[in-house]
Protein backbone atom coordinates (compact mmCIF):
# COMPACT_ATOMS: atom_id res chain seq x y z
CA UNK A 1 0.00 0.00 0.00
CA UNK A 2 1.00 3.64 -0.70
CA UNK A 3 4.10 4.24 -2.90
CA UNK A 4 7.16 2.32 -4.08
CA UNK A 5 9.07 1.43 -0.92
CA UNK A 6 12.78 1.28 -0.17
CA UNK A 7 14.14 0.46 3.27
CA UNK A 8 17.34 0.82 5.22
CA UNK A 9 18.10 1.23 8.88
CA UNK A 10 19.97 4.47 9.52
CA UNK A 11 21.28 5.32 12.96
CA UNK A 12 21.21 9.04 13.85
CA UNK A 13 23.61 9.78 16.71
CA UNK A 14 23.97 13.38 17.98
CA UNK A 15 27.44 14.25 19.27
CA UNK A 16 28.37 16.63 22.09
CA UNK A 17 29.80 19.27 19.72
CA UNK A 18 26.45 19.61 17.92
CA UNK A 19 27.41 17.43 14.97
CA UNK A 20 26.05 13.95 14.31
CA UNK A 21 26.56 10.63 12.55
CA UNK A 22 24.15 9.02 10.06
CA UNK A 23 25.19 5.39 9.62
CA UNK A 24 23.46 2.66 7.61
CA UNK A 25 23.29 -0.28 10.01
CA UNK A 26 21.10 -2.79 8.13
CA UNK A 27 20.03 -3.81 4.64
CA UNK A 28 16.59 -5.19 3.94
CA UNK A 29 15.49 -8.18 1.88
CA UNK A 30 12.01 -9.60 1.33
CA UNK A 31 11.33 -13.26 2.21
CA UNK A 32 11.89 -14.08 -1.49
CA UNK A 33 15.40 -12.64 -1.33
CA UNK A 34 14.68 -9.35 -3.14
CA UNK A 35 16.84 -6.49 -1.92
CA UNK A 36 14.85 -3.31 -1.30
CA UNK A 37 17.92 -1.31 -0.37
CA UNK A 38 18.07 1.89 -2.41
CA UNK A 39 21.20 1.76 -4.55
CA UNK A 40 24.20 4.10 -4.17
CA UNK A 41 25.42 2.97 -7.63
CA UNK A 42 24.95 6.40 -9.23
CA UNK A 43 26.45 8.34 -6.34
CA UNK A 44 25.21 9.94 -3.15
CA UNK A 45 23.77 12.99 -4.93
CA UNK A 46 21.41 10.85 -7.04
CA UNK A 47 20.60 8.77 -3.95
CA UNK A 48 19.52 11.87 -2.01
CA UNK A 49 17.60 13.28 -4.98
CA UNK A 50 15.53 10.14 -5.50
CA UNK A 51 12.49 11.47 -3.60
CA UNK A 52 12.59 14.74 -5.53
CA UNK A 53 12.86 12.75 -8.77
CA UNK A 54 9.74 10.77 -7.93
CA UNK A 55 7.90 13.99 -7.11
CA UNK A 56 8.94 15.62 -10.41
CA UNK A 57 7.81 12.60 -12.45
CA UNK A 58 4.43 12.27 -10.73
CA UNK A 59 5.14 8.95 -9.01
CA UNK A 60 3.81 10.30 -5.71
CA UNK A 61 0.53 11.36 -7.32
CA UNK A 62 -0.43 8.79 -9.97
CA UNK A 63 -0.12 5.01 -9.81
CA UNK A 64 0.51 4.72 -13.56
CA UNK A 65 3.56 7.01 -13.26
CA UNK A 66 5.47 4.58 -11.06
CA UNK A 67 8.56 3.25 -12.83
CA UNK A 68 8.52 -0.49 -13.47
CA UNK A 69 11.88 -2.21 -13.10
CA UNK A 70 11.40 -5.48 -14.97
CA UNK A 71 14.68 -7.06 -13.98
CA UNK A 72 14.97 -10.47 -12.30
CA UNK A 73 11.48 -11.90 -11.74
CA UNK A 74 10.24 -13.78 -8.68
CA UNK A 75 6.98 -15.58 -7.98
CA UNK A 76 5.20 -15.26 -4.65
CA UNK A 77 3.47 -18.26 -3.07
CA UNK A 78 0.18 -16.97 -4.49
CA UNK A 79 1.63 -16.75 -8.01
CA UNK A 80 2.13 -12.99 -8.23
CA UNK A 81 5.11 -11.84 -10.31
CA UNK A 82 7.42 -9.35 -8.60
CA UNK A 83 10.77 -7.91 -9.64
CA UNK A 84 14.13 -7.37 -7.97
CA UNK A 85 14.59 -3.65 -8.75
CA UNK A 86 12.75 -0.48 -7.84
CA UNK A 87 11.62 -1.32 -4.34
CA UNK A 88 8.18 -2.75 -3.59
CA UNK A 89 5.31 -1.61 -5.83
CA UNK A 90 2.11 -1.39 -3.75
CA UNK A 91 -1.09 -3.29 -4.51
CA UNK A 92 -3.12 -0.33 -3.23
CA UNK A 93 -1.84 3.10 -4.24
CA UNK A 94 -2.39 6.11 -1.96
CA UNK A 95 -1.30 9.42 -3.44
CA UNK A 96 0.83 11.77 -1.37
CA UNK A 97 -0.96 14.85 -0.07
CA UNK A 98 1.15 17.46 -1.84
CA UNK A 99 -0.78 20.52 -0.64
CA UNK A 100 1.93 22.93 0.46
CA UNK A 101 4.83 20.70 -0.53
CA UNK A 102 7.38 22.09 -2.92
CA UNK A 103 10.95 21.33 -3.90
CA UNK A 104 12.38 23.70 -1.28
CA UNK A 105 10.61 21.83 1.51
CA UNK A 106 11.65 18.47 0.05
CA UNK A 107 15.27 19.66 0.04
CA UNK A 108 14.96 20.68 3.70
CA UNK A 109 13.71 17.20 4.59
CA UNK A 110 16.34 15.36 2.55
CA UNK A 111 19.24 17.53 3.75
CA UNK A 112 18.21 17.00 7.37
CA UNK A 113 17.72 20.73 7.97
CA UNK A 114 14.41 20.25 9.77
CA UNK A 115 15.68 17.44 11.99
CA UNK A 116 18.79 19.44 12.90
CA UNK A 117 16.73 22.51 13.77
CA UNK A 118 14.22 20.48 15.81
CA UNK A 119 17.02 18.89 17.84
CA UNK A 120 18.46 22.29 18.76
CA UNK A 121 15.02 23.78 19.38
CA UNK A 122 14.18 20.90 21.72
CA UNK A 123 17.37 21.32 23.74
CA UNK A 124 16.72 25.06 24.10
CA UNK A 125 13.04 24.64 25.07
CA UNK A 126 12.99 21.44 27.13
CA UNK A 127 10.97 23.05 29.92
CA UNK A 128 8.20 24.02 27.51
CA UNK A 129 8.07 20.59 25.88
CA UNK A 130 7.97 18.88 29.28
CA UNK A 131 4.47 20.31 29.81
CA UNK A 132 3.04 17.89 27.24
CA UNK A 133 2.06 14.69 29.00
CA UNK A 134 1.73 12.39 25.99
CA UNK A 135 2.12 12.31 22.19
CA UNK A 136 -1.64 12.80 21.76
CA UNK A 137 -1.61 15.80 24.10
CA UNK A 138 1.24 17.22 22.04
CA UNK A 139 -0.55 16.51 18.73
CA UNK A 140 -3.68 18.29 19.93
CA UNK A 141 -2.15 21.34 21.60
CA UNK A 142 1.30 22.14 20.21
CA UNK A 143 1.54 25.00 17.70
CA UNK A 144 4.59 26.75 16.31
CA UNK A 145 4.88 30.33 17.48
CA UNK A 146 6.28 33.26 15.50
CA UNK A 147 9.65 33.19 17.26
CA UNK A 148 10.14 29.54 16.28
CA UNK A 149 9.26 30.40 12.67
CA UNK A 150 11.81 33.19 12.71
CA UNK A 151 14.49 30.94 14.21
CA UNK A 152 13.78 28.20 11.65
CA UNK A 153 13.88 30.62 8.71
CA UNK A 154 17.23 31.97 9.88
CA UNK A 155 18.60 28.48 10.52
CA UNK A 156 17.56 27.26 7.05
CA UNK A 157 19.75 29.84 5.35
CA UNK A 158 22.85 27.87 6.38
CA UNK A 159 21.69 25.16 3.96
CA UNK A 160 20.88 27.75 1.29
CA UNK A 161 17.13 27.30 1.86
CA UNK A 162 14.63 30.14 1.71
CA UNK A 163 11.33 29.79 3.60
CA UNK A 164 10.46 33.50 3.56
CA UNK A 165 8.25 33.17 0.47
CA UNK A 166 6.18 30.31 1.88
CA UNK A 167 2.43 30.87 1.83
CA UNK A 168 -0.19 29.39 4.16
CA UNK A 169 -0.19 25.88 2.64
CA UNK A 170 3.60 25.68 2.56
CA UNK A 171 3.78 26.79 6.19
CA UNK A 172 1.23 24.16 7.18
CA UNK A 173 3.24 21.44 5.47
CA UNK A 174 6.45 22.64 7.12
CA UNK A 175 4.73 22.87 10.50
CA UNK A 176 3.61 19.26 10.12
CA UNK A 177 7.20 18.13 9.55
CA UNK A 178 8.43 20.11 12.55
CA UNK A 179 5.69 18.62 14.73
CA UNK A 180 6.48 15.06 13.66
CA UNK A 181 10.20 15.49 14.14
CA UNK A 182 9.70 17.10 17.56
CA UNK A 183 7.40 14.27 18.68
CA UNK A 184 10.07 11.80 17.64
CA UNK A 185 12.71 13.76 19.53
CA UNK A 186 10.66 13.62 22.75
CA UNK A 187 9.02 10.16 22.62
CA UNK A 188 11.13 8.40 19.96
CA UNK A 189 9.19 6.16 17.52
CA UNK A 190 6.08 6.06 19.72
CA UNK A 191 5.71 9.83 19.49
CA UNK A 192 6.37 9.94 15.76
CA UNK A 193 3.77 7.31 14.91
CA UNK A 194 1.05 8.47 17.28
CA UNK A 195 1.27 12.07 16.08
CA UNK A 196 1.61 11.04 12.43
CA UNK A 197 -1.21 8.49 12.50
CA UNK A 198 -3.72 10.86 14.07
CA UNK A 199 -4.55 12.45 10.69
CA UNK A 200 -2.78 10.21 8.18
CA UNK A 201 -4.82 9.40 5.01
CA UNK A 202 -2.67 6.30 4.48
CA UNK A 203 -3.67 4.90 7.88
CA UNK A 204 -7.33 5.65 7.15
CA UNK A 205 -7.08 3.80 3.81
CA UNK A 206 -5.25 0.88 5.43
CA UNK A 207 -8.02 0.50 8.02
CA UNK A 208 -10.62 0.68 5.25
CA UNK A 209 -8.90 -2.11 3.28
CA UNK A 210 -8.30 -4.17 6.44
CA UNK A 211 -11.94 -3.90 7.55
CA UNK A 212 -13.11 -4.75 4.02
CA UNK A 213 -11.01 -7.93 4.13
CA UNK A 214 -12.46 -8.91 7.51
CA UNK A 215 -16.02 -8.36 6.26
CA UNK A 216 -15.36 -10.42 3.11
CA UNK A 217 -13.97 -13.29 5.20
CA UNK A 218 -17.01 -13.10 7.49
CA UNK A 219 -19.33 -13.41 4.49
Amino acid sequence: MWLNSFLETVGNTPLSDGSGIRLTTSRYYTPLGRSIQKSYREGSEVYRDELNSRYRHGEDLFADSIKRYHSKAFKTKNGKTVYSGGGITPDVFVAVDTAGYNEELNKAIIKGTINDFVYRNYLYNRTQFATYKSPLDFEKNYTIDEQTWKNLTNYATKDSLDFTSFGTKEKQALAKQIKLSTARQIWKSEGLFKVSNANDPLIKKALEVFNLGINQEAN
Side-chain angles (χ1 to χ4, degrees), residues 41-60:
R41 189 179 297 113
E42 297 182 47
S44 59
E45 202 62 39
V46 172
Y47 178 92
R48 287 194 295 268
D49 191 54
E50 191 267 339
L51 289 177
N52 272 337
S53 178
R54 288 202 219 180
Y55 178 79
R56 288 192 297 268
H57 291 94
E59 292 186 51
D60 296 349

Side-chain angles (χ1 to χ4, degrees), residues 22 66-67 92 138 140-141 158 163 193 195 205:
R22 288 175 56 83
I66 296 176
K67 291 181 180 178
V92 178
F138 177 80
K140 182 178 179 180
N141 296 302
K158 80 175 185 66
F163 296 155
F193 293 129
V195 173
K205 184 64 177 179

